[in-house]
Amino acid sequence: MTKLDYARPPAFGGRIRDMRRKANLTLQVLADQAGISVGFLSQVERGKATPSLGTLASLAATLGVGVDVFVSNPKPSDSVTREGERPQFALDDSSLSYEHISTTLPGGTISSLIIHIPEGYASEVTAHFGEELIYVLEGTVRQSLDGAQFVLNPGDSLHFMGDTPHAFANIGSGPAKLLWTGTSPRLLGPRPSANSNNNIKGRD
């Protein structure tokens, strides 16, 4: 028997509840801003009531997201990326190149990239909202974090908050490769799709 690959109906109640909590909004505040009753919103979050598309749009606008966050649901196969099939992209005037290993999930909060760093490259110091985790796949990288210096080799990792001033440099002989995962929308290059089998160079 063939197992069918299909998307389940979106669980928008749970997504609304999760996003409301991340925004530090009470049921009452979100309901008031979206123009619905708090009792109805509570039922929606618990899966006991189904809102209209208009109500979902009001909730999405209040939470600062698109309505597709609540009504779309990827197929299981859309969650897979393959070595050699992920689109690669670069930013203008940068020698770094990237490939997404995370996919687009409605309401998703993390991004993950493989960063290809040429020999001798050194980044600027930056600080921004979000959380970051880097893991060295190849080469030797020096990571600065609020003035502290760390030399990282393959298998080493560093986990930190993005608002801590940080920078990195490839100090090895040859290219380096990092696995970067974070909660901030660091780069918005082309995302991998389940049917993609070509490597491309894009521009953000």
Side-chain angles (χ1 to χ4, degrees):
M1 183 177 180
T2 302
K3 184 177 180 179
L4 298 178
D5 183 14
Y6 63 93
R8 295 174 288 103
F12 46 74
R15 291 179 185 169
I16 292 170
R17 180 181 61 248
D18 290 345
M19 297 191 73
R20 173 179 63 78
R21 290 174 175 172
K22 288 176 183 176
N24 293 318
L25 297 176
T26 64
L27 275 167
Q28 187 68 61
V29 169
L30 179 57
D32 290 346
Q33 293 183 2
I36 60 177
S37 73
V38 67
F40 181 67
L41 176 57
S42 177
Q43 288 184 318
V44 168
E45 287 193 356
R46 291 181 288 117
K48 303 296 185 182
T50 302
S52 67
L53 186 59
T55 296
L56 279 178
S58 295
L59 289 166
T62 301
L63 292 167
V65 297
V67 71
D68 61 301
V69 166
F70 301 134
V71 299
S72 62
N73 205 42
K75 298 181 295 183
S77 61
D78 292 337
S79 300
V80 177
T81 71
R82 303 289 186 186
E83 172 69 24
E85 298 179 359
R86 289 183 287 263
Q88 294 190 22
F89 65 100
L91 302 181
D92 289 334
D93 302 320
S94 174
S95 57
L96 298 176
S97 63
Y98 308 84
E99 55 182 296
H100 275 291
I101 63 170
S102 57
T103 56
T104 303
L105 295 178
T109 58
I110 66 168
S111 295
S112 194
L113 302 157
I114 293 176
I115 306 177
H116 301 265
I117 312 168
E119 182 179 350
Y121 177 88
S123 77
E124 74 282 6
V125 177
T126 185
H128 50 79
F129 174 79
E131 185 177 356
E132 297 194 32
L133 173 64
I134 62 172
Y135 178 89
V136 180
L137 298 171
E138 296 178 10
T140 303
V141 174
R142 183 180 64 237
Q143 178 81 35
S144 67
L145 188 62
D146 200 21
Q149 303 286 324
F150 303 94
V151 175
L152 305 176
N153 294 299
D156 294 339
S157 66
L158 187 65
H159 186 194
F160 57 95
M161 297 305 297
D163 58 1
T164 305
H166 56 278
F168 64 92
N170 180 356
I171 61 173
S173 57
K177 189 185 296 186
L178 288 181
L179 171 61
W180 178 93
T181 300
T183 57
S184 59
R186 179 169 179 165
L187 292 171
L188 301 176
R191 294 281 185 164
S193 65
N195 297 321
S196 173
N197 56 13
N198 295 313
N199 286 338
I200 63 172
K201 296 288 286 184
R203 283 291 183 264
D204 190 7

